Amino acid sequence: MSGYELSTTKKKTKSVYVSTVISIALVLLMTGLLGLILVHARNLSKYVKENIVLNIIVNDDTTEGDVLAMQKDVEKDPYVLRTEYISKELAAKNLREDLGEDFVEFLGHNPLLPSIDVYLKEQYANTDSIQTFIKKVSNSSKVKEVVYQESLIDMVNKNIRVISIVVLAFTVILLVIAVALINNTIRLAIYSQRFLIKSMQLIGATKNFIRKPYILYGIVHGLLGALIAILLLLFTLQFSQRQIPELVFLRNWYEFGAIFLGVIILGVLIAGLSTYFAVTKYLKAKSHSLYR
């Protein structure tokens, strides 16, 4: 083969490899983006549930010391994430800010009662667990009533359940598509090398000897594609958080790290296996079938 032909072949091979890496990167980027959406949706669900508040209204004749002691007892409950004591004065201040006028001055007294705002752990933010919790705290003579928005809790849990099912189904479908796209990309890349593979086999090279460099190249391509996808995902994260600062509250780098690791494993695994099966196909093929 002439130097010109060798140069042309090398250029074509490089072009195939570059397009393979870019294709893998784009598919993994799409998969990683869905993973980030899943993480944000999961964290948003947790944030919403853990910010549903139960108001334990305390009797007016209860001293502040008794209320604080009760607050400590409530905090020990396994259902409770955190609590906040709202005195009569603080309750009046908050309502005054909401109304935009001084209702205490208008009424001549402060009709509000002290209360303890209770925030439950995520797994207990449902109607059954809340009812169980209310029964426990209502046994105290200091408690006048426990107030919460039952319709809001039911709506949150119902919507989160529906969204979770839809997103999970979409994830499975996208994962299947991602595997198919990367597999087809690898097969097309190996297709351009089919004559070289068969030539090496005809001159006596063993199947493992022929397969090994292709599989290594496939793994490297999968790794490069995954790293490019991760860089693009990091850029997307930074850009989205600049545009929507509230997303910072949902940020969890441990979960993001798991997604990035999953992208790398997915890229390497699919690329390596696809290369293995594609090369094996042409090793088993008859010489005349290579022209089809």
Side-chain angles (χ1 to χ4, degrees), residues 27 174-187 270 274:
V27 173
L174 185 58
L175 189 60
V176 172
I177 293 173
V179 171
L181 287 175
I182 293 177
N183 182 58
N184 286 336
T185 301
I186 298 293
R187 287 178 62 187
I270 296 176
S274 296

Side-chain angles (χ1 to χ4, degrees), residues 64-82:
E64 185 172 348
D66 288 339
V67 177
L68 292 175
M70 179 183 175
Q71 181 185 10
K72 289 183 179 179
D73 290 337
V74 171
E75 286 178 344
K76 294 177 183 177
D77 192 287
Y79 284 24
V80 176
L81 178 66
R82 67 184 190 278

Side-chain angles (χ1 to χ4, degrees), residues 77-126:
D77 192 287
Y79 284 24
V80 176
L81 178 66
R82 67 184 190 278
T83 64
E84 182 181 356
Y85 169 56
I86 307 296
S87 64
K88 293 180 63 172
E89 292 74 20
L90 181 57
K93 179 184 175 183
N94 292 338
L95 187 57
R96 190 183 302 117
E97 290 175 355
D98 292 339
L99 296 176
E101 58 182 78
D102 192 349
F103 70 96
V104 175
E105 184 178 349
F106 176 75
L107 294 174
H109 70 285
N110 182 3
L112 301 178
L113 297 175
S115 64
I116 300 173
D117 286 353
V118 179
Y119 300 88
L120 300 179
K121 294 176 182 177
E122 176 195 8
Q123 61 268 35
Y124 301 115
N126 57 74

